[in-house]
Amino acid sequence: MSPAAIGIGSAFLAFFIWGFLPLYLKLLGSLGSWEILAHRMVWSLLFLAGLLTVLKQWRWLKPTLRSRRLIVLSTVAALLLSANWITYIWAVNSGFIVNASLGYFINPLISVLLGFLFLQERMRSVQWLSVALAASGVFYLTISMGELPWIALVLGFSFGFYGLLRKQSVLNSPNGLTLETMILSLPALAYLLWLEADGSGAFLHSSFSQNLLMIGTGVITATPLLLFAHAAQRIPLATLGLLQYTAPSIQLLLGVFLYDEPFGGDRMIAFGLIWTALAIYSGEGLLRMRRRPKPAAASEAVIDARPV
């Protein structure tokens, strides 16, 4: 099997896992969102630490801990990641999967806009058109709903800024996430211990399957990330950017057809504007890749296009 085929398979599997993540989180719905978040942080760290130990890939940690800049970047990135995770967990278990999927549909365009604002990356006219169409969709949804689609905006912008910070780091994705979960796991572990002392903690006080699901949050978090990193080394970012729409598409279908979340005419119009924006943006990016076969610049692809 060719490296490209392996890369595409890895990407599909990563986005497939992310797409069906709501099913997993729903199984933990009896826990509070903050407790699920804390388990996800702690078990992700243990899973990644075990993996790096097996692979003997800890040499990066010592020089990293000496770099004040990397620690500050990683701390801010960790806070953005935790904001993204808690919003997503709450949205899924509160019946807003459709709104959450919208956040990951608009994330690539938010990333392009952030690249223009903070990295001085040039935006072409087609990209401006795509961003304007997506903004029109969000504006229409705001008017029709009578309130901002804040779940989608928090998810889109928190992950957009997270990707922006990750671009400033020399750490690869697995190492970067390991450091970020190290930072997050201290307060997360303290919170879980407090729940235990308070008598309201679920771990070891639930069924065997529920305990396994809590432990499994580490695997379900880190595995698609590793698959994504593997795919990113083998296929063009433009291709990866197109494949990433698999995850929010699955989430949207789950929300509408499995959990009966509303998706009426107003939402269809808003999503239609955003899907049109994504089609224009992605199509133009593919054309440029074919005409000029070389690695795509960050402004022509998705900046850290990982859903969580």
Side-chain angles (χ1 to χ4, degrees):
M1 188 177 293
S2 68
I6 293 173
I8 290 175
S10 297
F12 260 123
L13 184 55
F15 294 127
F16 184 85
I17 293 171
W18 277 320
F20 282 99
L21 183 58
L23 296 179
Y24 195 97
L25 295 177
K26 287 282 191 181
L27 294 175
L28 290 169
S30 60
L31 280 66
S33 296
W34 288 102
E35 189 172 4
I36 297 173
L37 175 66
H39 278 290
R40 193 174 184 185
M41 292 172 178
V42 171
W43 295 113
S44 292
L45 174 60
L46 291 176
F47 178 81
L48 288 166
L51 182 64
L52 293 180
T53 299
V54 170
L55 298 176
K56 299 180 180 179
Q57 293 184 3
W58 283 107
R59 293 182 179 178
W60 59 273
L61 184 59
K62 191 173 181 179
T64 297
L65 294 178
R66 292 174 179 170
S67 172
R68 182 177 179 181
R69 178 178 179 274
L70 278 177
I71 294 300
V72 171
L73 279 176
S74 297
T75 300
V76 177
L79 293 173
L80 287 168
L81 192 60
S82 62
N84 185 277
W85 283 0
I86 188 61
T87 303
Y88 186 77
I89 293 167
W90 179 87
V92 167
N93 285 330
S94 299
F96 298 108
I97 298 175
V98 170
N99 289 26
S101 73
L102 176 61
Y104 293 116
F105 276 123
I106 65 176
N107 173 251
L109 299 177
I110 289 174
S111 294
V112 170
L113 183 60
L114 293 179
F116 169 76
L117 294 174
F118 294 98
L119 301 179
Q120 290 77 52
E121 294 176 348
R122 183 176 61 87
M123 283 181 63
R124 300 181 299 277
S125 57
V126 170
Q127 291 176 321
W128 279 114
L129 174 61
S130 299
V131 170
L133 279 172
S136 299
V138 172
F139 180 75
Y140 181 84
L141 199 57
T142 301
I143 297 300
S144 61
M145 293 173 56
E147 62 179 5
L148 277 172
W150 66 270
I151 294 173
L153 293 175
V154 169
L155 289 174
F157 275 97
S158 62
F159 212 80
F161 276 106
Y162 173 77
L164 188 68
L165 288 179
R166 290 292 292 118
K167 282 178 65 67
Q168 314 304 309
S169 175
V170 296
L171 298 176
N172 62 27
S173 291
N175 294 349
L177 184 65
T178 300
L179 180 58
E180 290 154 11
T181 51
M182 281 182 181
I183 295 168
L184 294 172
S185 289
L186 291 176
L189 182 59
Y191 178 68
L192 291 176
L193 292 175
W194 178 80
L195 289 178
E196 285 298 314
D198 186 56
S200 57
F203 188 60
L204 299 181
H205 304 293
S206 302
S207 66
F208 179 73
S209 60
Q210 281 289 96
N211 289 323
L212 282 182
L213 286 171
M214 290 179 229
I215 296 173
T217 55
V219 178
I220 205 72
T221 296
T223 299
L225 169 71
L226 297 174
L227 289 167
F228 178 91
H230 182 77
Q233 296 173 349
R234 288 163 175 78
I235 59 177
L237 282 179
T239 303
L240 198 61
L242 283 177
L243 293 176
Q244 78 145 355
Y245 301 132
T246 305
S249 297
I250 293 173
Q251 293 166 13
L252 175 64
L253 293 174
L254 288 176
V256 174
F257 294 107
L258 184 60
Y259 296 111
D260 296 319
E261 293 186 15
F263 194 71
D266 289 336
R267 287 195 176 191
M268 290 183 68
I269 292 172
F271 271 76
L273 287 168
I274 292 165
W275 288 333
T276 301
L278 292 173
I280 293 172
Y281 164 72
S282 302
E284 192 261 357
L286 282 178
L287 285 175
R288 289 180 65 86
M289 283 287 293
R290 290 176 179 175
R291 292 172 182 172
R292 190 178 57 186
K294 64 180 182 180
S299 60
E300 299 174 27
V302 177
I303 299 177
D304 208 342
R306 295 167 294 154
V308 290

